[in-house]
Structure formats: structure tokens, C-alpha cells
Amino acid sequence: VTHYRDEETGAHIARMSHYARLIASKLAETHQLSDAFLNYVLLYSPLHDIGKIAIPDTVLLKPGKLNEFEWSIMKTHVTKGVEIIEELIKEFELGNSFHSSILRNIVAYHHEKLDGSGYPYGLKGDDIPIESRIAAVADVFDALAAERPYRKAWSIDKAFNYLSENKGTLFDIECVDIFL
């Protein structure tokens, strides 16, 4: 559905969800992740940025760097996404099931950073659920390696170097190492 608004967004969510599933599958043994968990990571990762539907195109598709005010608007996509997900969970009576928590966590915490510098909650380390740490690595890699309205795509090597240089600070070490 996202391709109706922005073709690249549709491609991004497809790619990043498969990256996330690959990372999760390699973490499965050490983190006791079930096959169901792996499938829900694949299924729900595309919804990580669902809150962006509430961001005005003037901000979302701006062909240059966002100013401070625009950036503050952009960051609200996480809390708006959580609101949308909560409404869907309520509407479809999904309750607090195992899979609903995976969905919530991916949407709510995919911009959190290990050192607490992420948004919107400033979570640190293991306070960030594993599915969110997985989605963060997949999301950032694909965002860097794809062209955006505000910048050219990075080379694969440059994107890998960024992840590698920031593992343990911004990104989960194990998730990055597995992805690389």
C-alpha cells in the first residue's frame, strides 16, 4: 500500500523486513527465538514507520536537510505509529498477545540507541527489546544504502562501515556483526 504514496518507501520496507528476518534467524539459537518470533519480525518490520503517514509531505519528502522544527515533527512518527498500532490492536481485538508485543516494540523502539541517545524514549542497552534492535540495524542500513529525497545513496561499504563504527554505541553489537 505504501507504494501509492512513495514508491521508494514501499521498496525500503520490503528490503528492511527481509534484512531483519535474516538477522533474527541468526540470533534465534543464542536468544531462544522461536520460528513464530522470526515470522512476526518479518511480518511486522514493514510497519516500523507506519507513523510517517501522519507526517506532512513537506517534511517527509523535503529534498534537503530538515531544520530543527521539521526534525521535531519527523520524530513524532514513532509516537504517531504507536497510536495507530494501538488503535489497530484495539479494533481487531488483538489484545496483549505475544505477537502484538513484537509489533508494538518494533514500532515504538526502532529509533532507540544502545547509549540512550535515541528517540522518543531514550532507552538504553537491554531495555530496548531485541526485535527493536534487529529492526534498527536493518532500517538504518537500508536507509543509508538507498537514495533519499535529501541525499544520494551510500555505497554498501560505507553503510557497513557506519554500522561497524557505531556498534555497541548506537547499535546492538551482535545484530551488526550478524548483519555484516
Side-chain angles (χ1 to χ4, degrees), residues 11-94:
H12 164 67
I13 63 174
R15 289 186 305 263
M16 76 75 60
S17 65
H18 287 283
Y19 298 149
R21 172 67 164 77
L22 288 170
I23 295 167
S25 69
K26 296 293 184 186
L27 289 173
E29 191 173 310
T30 57
H31 290 268
Q32 293 80 45
L33 305 177
S34 67
D35 287 343
F37 179 91
L38 302 180
N39 289 328
Y40 284 124
V41 166
L42 176 66
L43 182 66
Y44 293 146
S45 290
L47 297 172
H48 72 283
D49 278 340
I50 193 169
K52 285 187 176 178
I53 64 172
I55 304 299
D57 284 347
T58 55
V59 173
L60 187 64
L61 302 176
K62 183 178 176 179
K65 186 174 175 154
L66 300 179
N67 64 36
E68 191 174 321
F69 177 69
E70 293 164 332
W71 181 237
S72 70
I73 292 171
M74 179 62 84
K75 291 195 306 187
T76 67
H77 83 275
V78 175
T79 53
K80 291 179 185 305
V82 171
E83 291 170 12
I84 291 166
I85 292 304
E86 290 300 333
E87 190 62 34
L88 289 172
I89 289 170
K90 179 180 171 189
E91 179 74 22
F92 293 102
E93 299 178 2
L94 300 174

Side-chain angles (χ1 to χ4, degrees), residues 111-158:
H111 283 295
E112 298 296 331
K113 305 294 181 210
L114 287 187
D115 65 2
S117 66
Y119 66 90
Y121 309 105
L123 297 182
K124 291 182 179 183
D126 288 339
D127 290 339
I128 305 167
I130 190 66
E131 57 268 29
S132 307
R133 290 182 270 153
I134 292 167
V137 170
D139 181 35
V140 169
F141 171 76
D142 192 71
L144 294 174
E147 191 162 324
R148 295 297 176 123
Y150 50 88
R151 66 154 175 76
K152 297 286 185 195
W154 288 17
S155 71
I156 301 297
D157 287 341
K158 185 176 179 181

Side-chain angles (χ1 to χ4, degrees), residues 137 164 167 172-180:
V137 170
S164 186
K167 68 181 181 180
D172 182 273
I173 294 170
E174 199 174 6
C175 290
V176 170
D177 286 344
I178 285 169
F179 186 70
L180 297 179

